[in-house]
């Protein structure tokens, strides 16, 4: 299945980053196409709508804690919301 192809840990799911705006906050935080977003602000992310909802709750100027799966390990990205 898709999780196995992405080498996600058993029981984990997320949403694959398809593209990143080159000058946007996600790119500045180091997100890359192919990363899998596992959680936002400590809440597991199982779908794009859950990620969008969690990010919408972050106040402008504040930093969102986003955990992504990249290269077989979890990576923390700190995304400052504009």
């Amino acid at each position: 299945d898709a999780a196995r192809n992405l080498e996600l840990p058993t029981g984990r799911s997320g949403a694959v980053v398809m593209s990143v705006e080159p000058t946007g906050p996600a790119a500045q935080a180091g997100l890359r196409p192919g990363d899998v977003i596992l959680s936002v602000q400590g809440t597991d992310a199982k779908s794009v709508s859950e990620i969008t909802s969690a990010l919408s709750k972050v106040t402008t100027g504040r930093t969102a804690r986003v955990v992504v799966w990249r290269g077989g390990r979890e990576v923390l990205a700190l995304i400052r919301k504009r």
Side-chain angles (χ1 to χ4, degrees):
D1 66 357
R4 188 173 302 127
N5 291 339
L6 294 169
E7 299 179 6
L8 292 176
T10 302
R12 295 301 301 261
S13 62
V16 178
V17 176
M18 299 305 291
S19 65
V20 178
E21 179 70 34
T23 60
Q28 291 174 350
L31 259 63
R32 306 175 192 163
D35 286 348
V36 180
I37 298 175
L38 300 176
S39 68
V40 177
Q41 298 295 86
T43 302
D44 287 348
K46 295 179 178 70
S47 68
V48 173
S49 62
E50 287 181 2
I51 294 165
T52 302
S53 175
L55 289 174
S56 73
K57 295 175 184 170
V58 177
T59 308
T60 299
R62 303 293 293 189
T63 301
R65 297 175 57 87
V66 178
V67 177
V68 301
W69 185 257
R70 177 188 304 148
R73 64 185 183 98
E74 290 185 9
V75 177
L76 174 64
L78 301 175
I79 302 176
R80 186 166 184 87
K81 187 169 179 182
R82 294 184 185 165

